[in-house]
Amino acid sequence: MADSSIEGRASTTDTAAELATRMAVRAGLGIGLVCVIWTVGLQLTGNNGFGPKQILAQLLVPLVALANEWWFGQRVKPEKPGLGRALKVGSLTVLIAAVLSAIGVLGLAYGAGEPALERNRAEVREIVRVQQAENSKVKHSEQELRQQEQNVANLTAQGLAVGTFVRVLLFGMVLALPGGIFFRE
């Protein structure tokens, strides 16, 4: 017997909300794990696991969030996903991936040890020097140059993890928020 009461509709809404959470957790864990595996793989193959190549996997996070929002809309058809649930799917996917990526970088930093961090500092120092040389139109004071060198020297495992978290979160939200708005119907 079909139940058309408010309770019947509320359970459908709860089911869609639960589905949104489940999909976001699965996708967030999956893409976060891909980011961690990529970072560890870079380190194991002799590349800098903390360097710019790390961004290659992190750029997948917004694409996965966007795809997850679209897939959620397909799963709840003929009902519309709604703005809140669509944003929930994308944002939670990105947040979980960012946390997992940051934890992976922190674990790798502690596992690889100080030599890997020093190698990263040397690479960042070289990047800063090249950028300063290429950007000769902008004159930096001696104090600004020393400050940049000091910032590079102070790179820590926690700083790398926070940087990874912020970068993944920002990259992800760039597409997840507009995507949630677009896929709300």
Side-chain angles (χ1 to χ4, degrees):
M1 180 168 167
D3 185 13
S4 63
S5 67
I6 294 175
E7 292 83 22
R9 286 182 285 184
S11 68
T12 303
T13 304
D14 290 342
T15 303
E18 291 169 1
L19 177 64
T21 302
R22 263 194 326 272
M23 288 179 69
V25 169
R26 287 179 185 163
L29 288 174
I31 193 61
L33 188 59
V34 167
C35 291
V36 171
I37 290 170
W38 178 259
T39 304
V40 171
L42 285 172
Q43 191 68 32
L44 291 176
T45 58
N47 293 292
N48 182 2
F50 309 110
K53 291 180 184 175
Q54 180 187 43
I55 295 174
L56 293 173
Q58 294 168 352
L59 288 174
L60 295 175
V61 172
L63 299 176
V64 168
L66 196 60
N68 207 24
E69 289 169 339
W70 175 80
W71 191 31
F72 175 69
Q74 299 302 307
R75 296 274 311 265
V76 296
K77 273 188 177 178
E79 182 183 333
K80 294 180 181 180
L83 181 61
R85 287 183 290 195
L87 288 173
K88 176 184 178 180
V89 170
S91 299
L92 192 56
T93 299
V94 169
L95 181 63
I96 291 170
V99 168
L100 195 57
S101 293
I103 290 170
V105 166
L106 189 63
L108 179 63
Y110 284 126
E114 189 58 35
L117 291 174
E118 187 53 45
R119 192 173 104 201
N120 180 57
R121 287 185 201 108
E123 186 175 312
V124 171
R125 212 175 283 118
E126 183 63 28
I127 290 170
V128 167
R129 286 185 187 132
V130 168
Q131 285 178 341
Q132 289 170 350
E134 286 182 359
N135 197 3
S136 60
K137 293 178 185 175
V138 177
K139 297 294 181 189
H140 295 284
S141 69
E142 188 62 35
Q143 183 181 4
E144 289 174 325
L145 296 175
R146 277 187 274 125
Q147 182 63 39
Q148 285 180 337
E149 289 289 326
Q150 187 64 34
N151 290 344
V152 171
N154 291 336
L155 282 176
T156 62
Q158 293 87 358
L160 291 171
V162 168
T164 298
F165 175 79
V166 169
R167 189 172 45 249
V168 172
L169 194 64
L170 290 176
F171 281 162
M173 290 302 178
V174 163
L175 281 181
L177 292 178
I181 294 168
F182 182 75
F183 290 125
R184 73 184 184 273
E185 293 188 18

